[in-house]
Amino acid sequence: MSHIHIAAAIITDANQKMLLVRKKNTQRFMQAGGKIEAGETPLQALLRELDEELQIQPDPQQIIYHGEFHAPAANEPNHTVHAHIYQLTWHNSIHIAAEIEEARWEDPRQAHLLPLAPLTEHFILPLLM
């Protein structure tokens, strides 16, 4: 089984809703973020991905690190994601870009009604409950 190393963010708003994104040509919702490129730290990868996908530039000092989690990849069969998970609160607008097709602010207690990536379903939601 192949491994994908990513950095992703639990992004919440002032109403404690969390942002979920769905990439183009996929069905499952997940946290914004993506693959860590050679020479990048997980935080650097996260900041790059958030800028590319949502056109946001959060203050790194306001980002909380939760740790590393492992789960089956949502969109790549026979792959496991090794995810560095961060959290931040965002009060400004977002603008979806890059490979993101849809972004939704959801109440974490209702998010299970959506098709979710395994990482989101089994690790992220429990962190927010």
Side-chain angles (χ1 to χ4, degrees), residues 34-105:
K35 294 176 183 166
I36 301 168
E37 295 180 356
E40 283 184 319
T41 67
L43 182 57
Q44 289 168 333
L46 179 70
L47 294 170
R48 176 184 50 75
E49 290 284 348
L50 293 178
D51 187 36
E52 291 173 3
E53 293 181 350
L54 303 173
Q55 299 180 350
I56 66 173
Q57 299 81 34
D59 177 354
Q61 301 292 336
Q62 301 298 314
I63 298 175
I64 300 165
Y65 183 65
H66 280 291
E68 190 171 352
F69 298 85
H70 309 274
N75 300 314
E76 298 182 47
N78 300 317
H79 285 73
T80 299
V81 292
H82 291 237
H84 292 270
I85 301 297
Y86 296 85
Q87 186 168 349
L88 63 110
T89 302
W90 190 252
H91 301 286
N92 301 313
S93 61
I94 61 164
H95 303 282
I96 60 173
E99 69 267 14
I100 302 300
E101 186 165 314
E102 184 178 1
R104 301 171 63 146
W105 291 99

Side-chain angles (χ1 to χ4, degrees), residues 117-129:
L119 181 70
T120 301
E121 182 177 0
H122 300 293
F123 295 101
I124 304 302
L125 288 182
L127 284 173
L128 296 174
M129 301 306 225

